[in-house]
Amino acid sequence: MDKETTLVLLNEVGILPLFYHADIEIAKEVINASYRGGARAFEFTNRGENAFNVFTELLAHVKESLPGLSLGIGTIYDVETAQKFIDAGTDFIVTPCLNPEVGRACSIANIPWIPGISTLTEIYNAQQAGAEVVKLFPGEVVGSKFVRAIRGPMPKVKIMVTGGVQPTRESIGEWFGAGAYAVGLGSNLFPKDVIAEGNYSWIEQKVAESINLVKEFRQNS
């Protein structure tokens, strides 16, 4: 998927599901449920020894069965790992911190790079290094007031908030009301007990509800 389409999808849908599991079949079920719920961008996190193998299988599954879904990799720290996933075909890369070398690799590959930031200086440096969207992390620590305040000196900054975002009307309203470009949802969207039970219809419903809350907020704003 081309770079601009991924960024537009991220903003239009507003929700980026974040998930990791070492079992490819469980990962497929989760991404399928998210897709049925309306997600059109999905971040698989690089948090286990088997992450690369699962990710490559997920990429093949997405290409075959989930048209229009942008699949990216998260929790990337260094350029060597980034290049490995770029070569595998990732649509975008999300990093927990600001590493300009990863940004350069993404720029060469013409895919979005979404680096983690928590200060105005890091936002500026990320933009200078080529980031069009930045990830505010951890959201629950920095707070929505930061997002609102940043829009004074940086009115065009595109911030995706991750960490502490809840799939509720109050939380969605708080972050998008502050000016968030999108929000990332992980454990609050994929509770361990729901995964253990294989209750994928719950995930589908929760994703759909979250996306509808974003739409509702924007329509009423």
Side-chain angles (χ1 to χ4, degrees):
M1 184 173 292
D2 68 86
K3 180 178 181 179
E4 188 58 33
T5 300
T6 292
L7 293 175
V8 168
L9 283 174
L10 180 62
N11 179 241
E12 285 186 348
V13 177
I15 300 294
L16 179 67
L18 327 169
F19 182 75
Y20 169 78
H21 203 286
D23 187 316
I24 180 60
E25 297 307 321
I26 291 176
K28 283 182 181 179
E29 292 288 356
V30 167
I31 201 170
N32 288 344
S34 299
Y35 184 82
R36 292 194 302 269
R40 289 300 179 266
F42 190 98
E43 177 190 331
F44 188 74
T45 54
N46 181 38
R47 294 185 178 176
E49 293 182 2
N50 200 38
F52 181 76
N53 293 332
V54 176
F55 183 76
T56 54
E57 290 194 51
L58 275 181
L59 275 173
H61 173 67
V62 167
K63 288 180 181 179
E64 180 179 349
S65 305
L66 306 177
L69 178 69
S70 179
L71 178 61
I73 187 71
T75 320
I76 300 297
Y77 287 93
D78 58 78
V79 68
E80 292 80 13
T81 306
Q83 193 61 56
K84 183 178 179 180
F85 282 94
I86 288 171
D87 293 341
T90 187
D91 287 319
F92 60 92
I93 287 179
V94 182
T95 62
C97 52
L98 178 58
N99 184 340
E101 289 188 0
V102 174
R104 281 193 288 272
C106 291
S107 178
I108 292 170
N110 198 31
I111 63 171
W113 166 54
I114 306 176
I117 57 87
S118 58
T119 68
L120 190 148
T121 298
E122 287 179 330
I123 293 175
Y124 176 80
N125 289 338
Q127 291 177 329
Q128 292 298 108
E132 295 181 44
V133 178
V134 294
K135 179 181 79 167
L136 177 64
F137 179 83
E140 72 270 33
V141 174
V142 182
S144 60
K145 290 182 180 180
F146 174 84
V147 178
R148 192 182 299 276
I150 281 297
R151 300 191 69 80
M154 293 183 167
K156 295 183 179 180
V157 65
K158 298 172 181 176
I159 298 177
M160 179 180 78
V161 181
T162 303
V165 182
Q166 303 282 339
T168 64
R169 185 181 306 277
E170 293 74 20
S171 185
I172 295 295
E174 176 185 357
W175 288 109
F176 282 94
Y181 183 79
V183 294
L185 286 162
S187 58
N188 291 323
L189 201 57
F190 308 116
K192 289 183 178 179
D193 58 334
V194 171
I195 300 298
E197 294 167 5
N199 190 357
Y200 302 113
S201 61
W202 185 95
I203 292 172
E204 177 183 348
Q205 180 179 352
K206 190 59 66 172
V207 170
E209 288 175 358
S210 300
I211 292 171
N212 285 334
L213 285 172
V214 175
K215 291 179 180 178
E216 182 180 320
F217 174 82
R218 287 172 168 168
Q219 288 171 354
N220 295 330
S221 297

